[in-house]
Each structure stands twice: as structure tokens, then as C-alpha cells.
Amino acid sequence: MHLPAAAEGSMRKAYRTARTSPVATFLVRRRRAVQAVVDALAWVLALALATWLRFEFEVDHARLTELAVFAPFAAAAQLVAGLAAGLYLGRWRLGSFDEASALARATLVTTGLVFVLDTWVLPHQVVPRSAVIGASAIAFVLMGSTRWLSRALLDRRRRPKMERGAERLLVFGAGEAGFQIVAGLLRDPDSPYLPVALLDDDPGKRHLRWLGVPVCGTRESVADVARSTGARTLLIAVPSASGEVIRELARLAGECGLDVKVLPSVGELFGSVDVSHIRSLTEADLLGRHQIETDIASIAGYLAGRRVLVTGAGGSIGSELCRQIFRFAPAELIMLDRDESALHALQLSIHGRALLDTPDVVLADIRDGDAIRSLFLERRPEVVFHAAALKHLPMLEQYPAEAVKTNVWGTLAVLEAAAAAGVDRFVNISTDKAADPISVLGYSKRIAERLTAHIASTTDGTYLSVRFGNVLGSRGSVLHAFRAQIEAGGPVTVTHPDVTRYFMTVEEAVELVIQAGAIGRGGEVLVLDMGRPVRIDDVARRLASQAERPVEIVYTGLRDGEKLEEDLFGEGEPDERPVHPLISHVLVPPLDADSVESMELSGVSHGRTDLVELCHAVRARRR
């Protein structure tokens, strides 16, 4: 039976209260005062012990009397020095290195004060000089030991217990993040996890222990360690882990029935790591993540206070573009789309309301050249992100004329309207399928790239394109299709066991698109670094393994226009990154707009075609 979170929290609190004695409660609440008394007594004991040792266990009654009178002065000196060092002000964490350093400084000061008092202030020497030195060492050990013991007892009390519902946890990664999360879990009595073992591929760490948790092997030891410890969950505590590492660990964990959790990537983490950062594995984790270093100053320079227009604003890329652009305080953000429902959702996500009665949302179709031109001349945008497009490859193979209407003529309409309105910076969103294209989608987007380069050569503004691959979270993504198939019970359809694709999260893609807009030069295509390509079959099998019942994988064969492996660069396009380490700059040959405007749709047949056919085959009429 599963209790509500509030009820479970109340039970844990009652459990802790029942096990906490009044004495323990008093000591915890009065820890600073208790520690000060203990330190003072440590000096009294240290002086007595050092003197006793100095005189070889034979101390007369007179010296003992003098020592009894002298010892309180040493205790008082420790209290004064300790207060000055911050030991009794709650400045340091109990048992920490900082507290140990402060304790050492206070001990040295106390030793000096006792030495001066005993040597030059009192009428005669009560404690031999050697005994003073010995007492300082003994006092430091006693004071440090009490702190260590208090810290150990406190950690033991805080340690999550199995009877409270804590689940045994394996942690992969004996690095800083792994140590932080283990420490955080072991010191939280309400922690849902109890770390029982660490794993790390570094053989130099195989004998390491952290807070009593040992390193028990490498990733290949997952099954054996899980069996010996009774762990039920594997936490990947390596924020910089690549997609390959995460997929491999997820596979090994799945084979032995372990649930897999991860920590956020380095770019997502702020400060220390704790239990709140632990989350379930996502497709983005399986496919790998980038740590993006964005030049905020350059972005703010061309977006802040400017009029910015986004076409296709209701789509996956367009909507994320709008959300990120909005953060840079543009003078006006114009969101254009032909889908009123998408505009409603977008306005709601940005402003928290969606009345659709404000000029920031524009309902229009980029195929309507006159309307687009009129809008641009009226609103005078200064920066344009062109994300409107038809993008589903199989659909466009069936209806290539639609690709021409939207991706070619629609893009040309937006480009010409931007040039007429004097747009300063224009960013066309392209696709990796435009590199050495073999599909209608690829050819139409390649033409759009070349048209953008043509307009760049005829205007004063900066007109460029940005090319990248598949985007996680976008509508129609293969991952969405896999999820839907799994929920329906299968089968999961994969075109080919060896097909690979580039993937990037929508947030990463858009952040780099905005960055590219800041650094790109007119006529260029900027290619985003998508990392290493991912085998679609691996992703499908990983997702299928998470299903409650077995799901079959079925291979359907490559469809018309599909490649086994996508290319980010076309033939003869060099990978040069002069400005940003994740953005390549490629020059594309311009394409005269006149040849595109005269294309005849009847000549664009079903199936694959080539760039020459799309541009020059027939030129009789425009539908």
C-alpha cells in the first residue's frame, strides 16, 4: 500500500521524534554551549595529564593544588580564543575542515596565553614549559575527537533507514558529483535512497571509500554489485556523461532489473548537488547533451530593444525561439503562424494568458505573399527568424508540390518582404537533409538556403541559414512515434537496423540558432554541432525495454528519400568553426529568385527529384 507523500512525511517525522531522547535533543539545541564547556574541560584534563606525564606519574599535593587553581585560566583562555576564531558562534559546520582549521588557530592562541601566564605573569612556574606544549597537543586531540564523535553520531542519526522506506542505491561516478550526492543522501533522514556502493571506471579508485560507501567495481560490475547489495536503482552521477555512456549503463541496468536515475548535465547544475536533482532517465539523456556556452552579450546586442518577428511561431522550433527571445527583452516580438491553436498555446506559455487580441500574434500564411509583404512593411521588423516550413519527409514525397509552395515560394515571399522592409538580420531555419539532398524535403530546403544567400548578396542586411538535424520534443519526432507505439502495445517500427540520425534537444538547438544569428555572416549556412549520430534501433530497443510487457521491433525498410546516415555537410563543404566551437560556417552558392518563381508545379512529380528538376524543369505557370 502506497501512502500519500504528506502522510509518509508525517510518519517519518513521528519516527524520528520517537527515537530522539530528551538528552539528545538538549545536546543538539545547545551544541555550541556544550562544545565550549567540553573544550574548556579538555584543556583542564590536558594540563593535568601533561603535568602527570612530565613528572613520571609522581605529582605532589602542592603542585596539584596549584594546577587546580591554574587550569581554569587555561580554560578561560580557550573560550576567549575560541570565540575570536568563531568556534562557538555557529560559523563552521561541525567536524568540517574549516572548523578544524579554526580549532588549530584557537589552540595555538590558547597555548601562547598559557605559556605567557605561566612563565612571566605568575610569581613562579606552575606547569613546566614542556608540559604546556604537551598539553596543547593533548587538548587539540581531545577537542577534535569530541567533534569527530559528535559528527559521527549526528550522521548516524541522520542516515536514512530501510524501515523508513529508503531504497538501496548504486551510484555510478566516484567524482565530485557522486561524492556530493552520496553525502547529501546519507545526511538526510527523509532521503528516499540509501547509497550502498559506488561504481567507477577509473581503476585507481577501486579501493576508495566515501563516508563508508565503498567503490565496488566498474560499469561491468553493475549486475554483481546489485545482486550482492540488494540495490534496486542505479544513479548515474556523471553530469558530463555522453549519450554512449548513458545508453550503455542503461542497458546494463536494464538487464538486471535496475531502475535508472540521472543527475542533470553540467550546464543545468547550479551549486552543489542534492536529492532534488535526481530525476528519471529521458530521451535527451540517452541521446547525449551538449554543454552550451552562450555569448549573452552578443545575443542581447542584436535582440534587446529590437523588433523581432518569428514565422512558424507555433511550431516546436518557433515556439521555443519565441520563449527564448522574450527573455532578451525585444522592443516587440511578433509571432506569426497559420495555426490559431498553436498561437493560443504559445501566447499562454509566454504571458500566462491567451486572449489572442494583441498585435504580438499574427494569423497569416507565408504562401500569401501579398499579406506577408504588407505585414512586413507595416510592422517593420528588424530581426526575422524564419521557422515556418513543411518538414515531414514521407508526406512531401507524396505531395512535392506542397513543398514547393511552402518551403520554396513561401520562403521567397518572406525573404523578399524582409528585403523590402529593410530587415537588418534574417535567420532561415534549415535542416541536415539539405546537405547532398535526395528527398523533396531536402531539395526544397536546399533551395531555401540558396535563395537566402541570393537575397544576402542583393541587400544590406545580414541574411543567413542555420542547419541542424532532428530535434527532441518536436512534433512528429520519431521518439513520439515510438512512445505512441509502445503505449499501444507495439510493434515499434524501425526503418533499418543500421539507420542513424543526429539529435539535439529543442532548447539546445534554439539557443545555438540564436547564437548563430549573432555571429553569422551574410550568405552563410551555419551548421550546428549535433554530436555523434545515434542508432535509431538502439533508442527503440531502450524505450521498448521500459514497457510493462514485451514489445516487438519490426523493420519496415528505408522509405523514398531517406538516407541510412544523414549528413550535416554537403560535398565540398568544409567544417570550419572560426567563432563558436559548436557552430560551423559554410558558404552556399546563391540561386536566382527568377528561376524559382517560374517553376511549374505539374513538373514536380511524385517521388524523388533533383535540384535541377525542381528549379529548371518547367517554367510555364505559377499556381
Side-chain angles (χ1 to χ4, degrees):
M1 180 179 67
H2 294 283
L3 294 173
E8 185 176 349
S10 298
M11 290 185 64
R12 288 182 175 179
K13 184 177 181 180
Y15 179 92
R16 291 198 308 273
T17 302
R19 291 181 57 90
T20 304
S21 68
V23 175
T25 302
F26 174 82
L27 292 177
V28 169
R29 292 178 178 176
R30 302 288 188 273
R31 182 181 71 81
R32 300 172 193 172
V34 170
Q35 191 64 66
V37 172
V38 169
D39 289 351
L41 293 176
W43 264 101
V44 172
L45 180 60
L47 283 171
L49 184 58
T51 303
W52 190 46
L53 292 173
R54 167 65 178 79
F55 291 105
E56 298 180 354
F57 314 113
E58 293 182 2
V59 182
D60 57 34
H61 180 73
R63 187 173 291 275
L64 282 175
T65 302
E66 292 178 338
L67 184 60
V69 175
F70 179 75
F73 289 100
Q78 171 60 37
L79 294 178
V80 172
L83 284 171
L87 287 175
Y88 313 125
L89 301 176
R91 188 175 297 173
W92 319 113
R93 189 175 180 218
L94 179 63
S96 65
F97 179 78
D98 289 332
E99 188 183 46
S101 299
L103 181 63
R105 294 195 300 271
T107 303
L108 288 175
V109 171
T110 302
T111 303
L113 292 174
V114 171
F115 195 88
V116 170
L117 180 66
D118 186 45
T119 304
W120 290 294
V121 176
L122 295 179
H124 65 276
Q125 194 175 59
V126 177
V127 182
R129 295 184 181 90
S130 59
V132 173
I133 302 301
S136 68
I138 296 172
F140 181 76
V141 171
L142 289 174
M143 292 185 291
S145 298
T146 58
R147 284 168 169 78
W148 174 84
L149 182 59
S150 299
R151 176 69 174 270
L153 292 174
L154 183 61
D155 287 345
R156 185 178 183 84
R157 289 177 60 239
R158 290 176 175 175
R159 192 180 182 91
K161 302 293 190 298
M162 299 296 295
E163 56 266 29
R164 301 185 209 174
E167 186 176 292
R168 294 177 181 269
L169 178 74
L170 298 184
V171 179
F172 179 83
E176 184 61 31
F179 290 161
Q180 284 189 30
I181 196 64
V182 168
L185 293 175
L186 289 179
R187 290 165 182 163
D188 180 5
D190 291 329
S191 169
Y193 302 106
L194 174 63
V196 292
L198 285 157
L199 300 170
D200 199 283
D201 288 337
D202 183 355
K205 297 180 179 179
R206 61 182 177 179
H207 300 301
L208 184 65
R209 297 179 72 90
W210 175 249
L211 299 178
V213 181
V215 175
C216 295
T218 65
R219 73 179 70 176
E220 302 300 333
S221 309
V222 167
D224 293 337
V225 177
R227 191 180 308 110
S228 63
T229 59
R232 298 170 54 190
T233 303
L234 172 68
L235 171 63
I236 303 174
V238 185
S240 60
S242 65
E244 290 84 356
V245 171
I246 293 176
R247 288 194 296 274
E248 173 68 9
L249 288 168
R251 181 187 65 80
L252 293 170
E255 290 175 354
C256 53
L258 293 177
D259 188 21
V260 181
K261 302 291 183 181
V262 295
L263 292 178
S265 63
V266 174
E268 298 174 85
L269 285 175
F270 298 93
S272 59
V273 183
D274 57 40
V275 66
S276 66
H277 290 109
I278 298 176
R279 58 172 173 78
S280 298
L281 200 63
T282 66
E283 291 90 348
D285 300 312
L286 292 170
L287 299 174
R289 300 158 298 194
H290 295 282
Q291 180 185 357
I292 300 175
E293 296 179 0
T294 304
D295 185 354
I296 300 298
S298 65
I299 289 178
Y302 87 99
L303 292 180
R306 311 290 293 280
R307 296 183 299 277
V308 182
L309 184 145
V310 178
T311 71
S316 305
I317 296 296
S319 60
E320 182 61 26
L321 264 170
C322 291
R323 282 187 288 269
Q324 292 199 25
I325 292 170
F326 185 75
R327 292 165 30 211
F328 295 102
E332 185 179 14
L333 176 58
I334 307 167
M335 300 174 287
L336 183 150
D337 202 286
R338 65 178 183 178
D339 185 340
E340 60 180 350
S341 297
L343 287 174
H344 179 275
L346 173 59
Q347 192 179 54
L348 184 64
S349 70
I350 292 178
H351 300 291
R353 56 176 179 78
L355 300 178
L356 297 179
D357 58 355
T358 53
D360 61 333
V361 287
V362 176
L363 187 63
D365 193 330
I366 62 171
R367 294 184 178 189
D368 187 346
D370 292 338
I372 295 299
R373 184 180 182 88
S374 176
L375 172 70
F376 272 67
L377 292 176
E378 177 186 350
R379 305 292 289 274
R380 296 288 177 175
E382 298 169 274
V383 181
V384 173
F385 290 91
H386 176 48
L390 296 177
K391 64 177 183 178
H392 290 285
L393 185 148
M395 185 67 73
L396 297 184
E397 289 296 309
Q398 291 189 70
Y399 305 102
E402 298 303 309
V404 175
K405 291 177 184 179
T406 297
N407 296 353
V408 178
W409 288 341
T411 296
L412 181 57
V414 176
L415 284 166
E416 290 178 339
V423 168
D424 177 62
R425 189 165 292 265
F426 186 103
V427 180
N428 168 52
I429 307 299
S430 188
T431 170
D432 57 357
K433 293 173 177 59
D436 290 337
I438 65 170
S439 64
V440 172
L441 171 60
Y443 287 124
S444 65
K445 297 297 283 184
R446 176 63 174 178
I447 293 174
E449 290 182 354
R450 296 184 61 187
L451 288 173
T452 303
H454 168 71
I455 298 297
S457 66
T458 61
T459 63
D460 294 332
T462 302
Y463 288 64
L464 58 106
S465 298
V466 178
R467 184 190 299 168
F468 52 89
N470 296 273
V471 175
L472 295 175
S474 62
R475 289 184 295 188
S477 166
V478 64
L479 299 181
H480 284 183
F482 286 166
R483 289 289 190 193
Q485 290 174 336
I486 291 171
E487 290 175 2
V492 174
T493 56
V494 179
T495 57
H496 192 283
D498 295 323
V499 69
T500 63
R501 290 293 181 265
Y502 291 97
F503 283 95
M504 180 178 283
T505 66
V506 65
E507 295 82 7
E508 290 170 339
V510 167
E511 194 165 340
L512 284 175
V513 165
I514 295 175
Q515 179 73 72
I519 65 176
R521 294 164 294 196
E524 290 183 331
V525 172
L526 275 64
V527 185
L528 307 188
D529 186 342
M530 301 290 295
R532 299 183 63 180
V534 176
R535 290 180 74 243
I536 300 300
D537 189 47
D538 291 343
V539 178
R541 292 187 179 279
R542 169 59 191 165
L543 295 178
S545 69
Q546 297 175 341
E548 295 180 357
R549 57 183 182 273
V551 176
E552 182 183 5
I553 305 292
V554 175
Y555 301 105
T556 59
L558 290 175
R559 297 168 294 187
D560 289 343
E562 281 193 322
K563 297 179 181 179
L564 193 64
E565 299 175 352
E566 291 289 2
D567 303 302
L568 290 174
F569 300 91
E571 184 177 355
E573 292 182 342
D575 182 0
E576 298 178 351
R577 311 184 185 196
V579 181
H580 194 284
L582 297 179
I583 302 176
S584 303
H585 295 240
V586 174
L587 286 174
V588 295
L591 178 64
D592 186 2
D594 292 338
S595 62
V596 172
E597 288 182 338
S598 61
M599 290 172 59
E600 182 178 319
L601 292 181
S602 61
V604 184
S605 60
H606 292 286
R608 291 189 299 273
T609 182
D610 62 30
L611 187 57
V612 175
E613 287 177 337
L614 275 174
C615 295
H616 304 293
V618 284
R619 302 171 178 271
R621 61 187 174 86
R622 179 174 180 173
R623 183 175 303 172

